[in-house]
Amino acid sequence: MNINIDGYGKAYHPANAQAGALIHLCNAGEVHLPNGSSYHGSVDNSTCTGRFMQDVARIGAAGWQDPKVGAVRWYGILGRGEARMTYTVRQQGKLRQVSRVVPGVAPVAQADGSGFYVSPTTFFDTTLADETDQRRYVNALRIPAAVVPNQPELSRRGVVMGSFGVAIDRRSGIAKPFVVGDFGPRVGEGTPALARSLAGLPITDDVTRAQRFAGQVNQPRILWIFFGSGSAPVRYRHTDEQALVRSAQEAFLRWGGEARLANCLRVTR
């Protein structure tokens, strides 16, 4: 159970912890440099607080889209525009020019003037057209949600945004239904609301930096079950966040609830 805080209004800020952000900016982007190299800001602590922030400062000062300076592909933050990076590479013994388009390079601040960046989720409220309105996205502190890879084989099986599943801690026996709310690198990430629920902790907006990873599990003991085609996806409405929670519970019951879950546990042991 790794924790994904994307979707929370105070996840990312240019000044990081100093401004009250729950997570460092380095977790939200990948730097592309003029020499053709690239790296994720979160690769290690020294890169996060050192090299990444220095490169972001240089790239931002140059307007975010200057290929001679570099570009950042933001994925935890809403990014607009693109940068076309051109590199000289050696292929089959000859020097060739290759180009790469880096999307989402200019980070977008929230419309409320708070200074925090917009932290989007793939699942969002379609009734809010303004992408800079943080209310549009699934609030990670309130809604138990899971991350899945953006893979065609999953979508063919009905594991899409707004579908449902259940996660269970096989050590404690605590189970929590969830909504699929975002794309990510792998199965095994959930919102703080999901992680806290599985750990027997209350869901709350009052989460400090010290508490941000409460419920994280670094052992392979969480079983993730996705209902897929057995649960029709729903729409998200920011005016009734708890409707998602209720719909997840209803989908769990339709799937078979505690009885079917107990059978799954017997099979996987």
Side-chain angles (χ1 to χ4, degrees):
M1 171 64 76
N2 293 313
I3 293 178
N4 187 314
I5 303 179
D6 293 351
Y8 177 52
K10 294 184 178 180
Y12 300 105
H13 191 284
N16 295 304
Q18 184 178 348
L22 277 194
I23 192 166
H24 198 281
L25 204 59
C26 71
N27 293 280
E30 178 187 32
V31 171
H32 293 256
L33 297 172
N35 64 4
S37 67
S38 62
Y39 68 91
H40 291 276
S42 59
V43 64
D44 55 50
N45 288 336
S46 61
T47 299
C48 174
T49 58
R51 181 187 181 191
F52 178 81
M53 292 304 295
Q54 293 164 10
D55 281 340
V56 165
R58 290 189 307 100
I59 294 168
W64 300 109
Q65 295 175 282
D66 188 341
K68 296 179 181 178
V69 179
V72 183
R73 178 178 69 88
W74 297 106
Y75 40 74
I77 291 170
L78 177 63
R80 288 178 173 164
E82 61 183 32
R84 181 174 292 275
M85 310 291 291
T86 302
Y87 315 108
T88 301
V89 299
R90 184 176 293 277
Q91 294 179 343
Q92 299 178 341
K94 296 181 180 181
L95 295 178
R96 301 178 185 275
Q97 293 288 108
V98 296
S99 294
R100 175 190 301 167
V101 175
V102 181
V105 296
V108 178
Q110 294 178 28
D112 61 5
S114 64
F116 284 89
Y117 287 128
V118 177
S119 180
T121 54
T122 310
F123 189 42
F124 59 86
D125 186 343
T126 57
T127 67
L128 290 179
D130 185 1
E131 290 183 324
T132 68
D133 190 336
Q134 188 63 51
R135 297 175 303 167
R136 191 174 193 248
Y137 307 104
V138 175
N139 188 332
L141 265 60
R142 296 179 187 166
I143 299 174
V147 169
V148 297
N150 186 8
Q151 296 177 349
E153 63 184 87
L154 288 177
S155 60
R156 284 196 296 268
R157 296 184 180 190
V159 183
V160 297
M161 296 299 114
S163 62
F164 298 101
V166 63
I168 181 168
D169 187 329
R170 287 183 284 189
R171 186 176 71 180
S172 67
I174 296 177
K176 186 67 180 182
F178 59 75
V179 63
V180 176
D182 208 358
F183 285 133
R186 66 189 65 84
V187 170
E189 286 189 13
T191 59
L194 179 57
R196 291 179 66 87
S197 297
L198 278 180
L201 300 171
I203 294 177
T204 176
D205 287 337
D206 189 21
V207 173
T208 66
R209 281 181 63 84
Q211 301 166 333
R212 58 187 170 161
F213 295 134
Q216 181 167 293
V217 176
N218 295 319
Q219 301 171 346
R221 70 171 198 251
I222 305 300
L223 177 64
W224 298 81
I225 300 173
F226 296 87
F227 303 152
S229 57
S231 68
V234 297
R235 290 186 176 183
Y236 173 50
R237 293 291 182 265
H238 76 280
T239 52
D240 189 3
E241 292 179 328
Q242 288 305 302
L244 273 183
V245 180
R246 294 192 298 270
S247 294
Q249 182 63 42
E250 292 165 1
F252 176 49
L253 294 176
R254 288 194 301 271
W255 174 78
E258 295 287 349
R260 186 172 179 182
L261 184 57
N263 185 59
C264 283
L265 289 173
R266 284 193 295 271
V267 171
T268 57
R269 282 177 179 145

